Amino acid sequence: MATLMNDIKKILITKDALAARIAALGKQITRDYQGKEVVLVGILKGAMPFLCDLMRHIDLPLVIDTMVLSSYGDCTTSSGKVCIKKDLDKDIKDKHVIVVEDIIDTGITMDFLCPLLKSRGALSVELAICLNKKERREKDVFVKYIGFDIPDEFIVGYGCDYAEYYRNFPAVAVLKSEVYNKE
Ligand code: IMP
Ligand code: MG
């Protein structure tokens, strides 16, 4: 039977390690935001598994919202390199926003998003990012909640895709080179 595992060269972060770290992040957020009005903003599609796991470890009344961003030139109203394909449903004025994202690489996406959310009247905007490729950073973005630092390798799984596939792989992994060469 064909399995996703057949395409994987190595597992970087196991399911169990993800679960343990995310539980700890949820506890930390619960402590840090006592008495505050929190909105978790998940960046689709990559943040889906991280958002679902993290929110269930945050023991606070909170609102979940989502955005879809694109760094490619397929939006007509693109300003710079990032554009909004789906905006928030709710107002964030006077709320404490935590942006939940799968991975930060150059930092260009978050460097675009954070000032934008602040300009809408959020009381605070912090980042919760599962995977941090810090060697690749081009923009100086402060990430308050980091799951794991990872090396500069293209990864898939736990929300991260290659050509839209592998988001459902439950661990963080590196693909075999044959997978890219199939194209
Ligand atoms: P940044 O604007 O360069 O920080 O890009 C962040 C986005 O690039 C992430 O939300 C991912 O969608 C994508 N990305 C960066 N590195 C990887 C990777 O190794 N695998 C899959 N997607 C990645
Ligand atoms: Mg993404």
Side-chain angles (χ1 to χ4, degrees):
M1 194 173 66
T3 66
L4 292 178
M5 196 59 208
N6 290 339
D7 293 347
I8 301 298
K9 182 167 105 183
K10 64 177 174 189
I11 303 277
L12 278 187
I13 307 169
T14 63
K15 267 200 295 197
D16 289 351
L18 284 163
R21 180 69 191 127
I22 290 160
L25 284 178
K27 276 203 184 113
Q28 195 184 339
I29 291 171
T30 304
R31 281 196 302 270
D32 293 351
Y33 285 84
Q34 289 294 309
K36 292 182 175 164
E37 290 274 338
V38 178
V39 182
L40 285 190
V41 173
I43 308 303
L44 301 180
K45 293 172 266 195
M48 284 191 293
F50 181 44
L51 176 67
C52 293
D53 288 343
L54 182 66
M55 69 181 179
R56 289 177 292 169
H57 287 286
I58 302 176
D59 190 5
L60 295 170
L62 53 75
V63 168
I64 310 284
D65 211 335
T66 58
M67 293 180 87
V68 179
L69 303 176
S70 170
S71 28
Y72 310 108
D74 56 357
C75 285
T76 46
T77 56
S78 172
S79 56
K81 287 184 188 160
V82 185
C83 60
I84 298 173
K85 293 174 100 180
K86 182 225 166 264
D87 208 335
L88 295 173
D89 297 325
K90 298 267 190 258
D91 198 355
I92 51 166
K93 189 170 179 324
D94 298 333
K95 308 280 186 195
H96 292 276
V97 172
I98 306 174
V99 176
V100 179
E101 173 64 315
D102 53 355
I103 181 165
I104 183 164
D105 185 37
T106 62
I108 290 171
T109 312
M110 291 302 113
D111 186 60
F112 161 83
L113 186 62
C114 292
L116 176 79
L117 298 181
K118 281 181 195 147
S119 77
R120 294 180 179 182
L123 290 176
S124 66
V125 178
E126 297 291 355
L127 299 176
I129 300 189
C130 189
L131 306 168
N132 178 32
K133 271 193 203 174
K134 58 180 175 187
E135 291 159 54
R136 296 253 311 157
R137 199 77 88 252
E138 289 173 25
K139 299 282 184 182
D140 185 20
V141 183
F142 173 69
V143 186
K144 187 160 185 190
Y145 304 102
I146 291 176
F148 297 86
D149 290 325
I150 56 167
D152 179 13
E153 278 188 277
F154 192 82
I155 56 90
V156 295
Y158 202 64
C160 295
D161 71 305
Y162 168 61
E164 293 296 330
Y165 289 99
Y166 304 101
R167 290 191 199 275
N168 57 320
F169 190 69
V172 175
V174 178
L175 287 175
K176 289 177 182 165
S177 55
E178 303 93 273
V179 178
Y180 304 107
N181 300 333
K182 259 189 219 161
E183 314 275 295

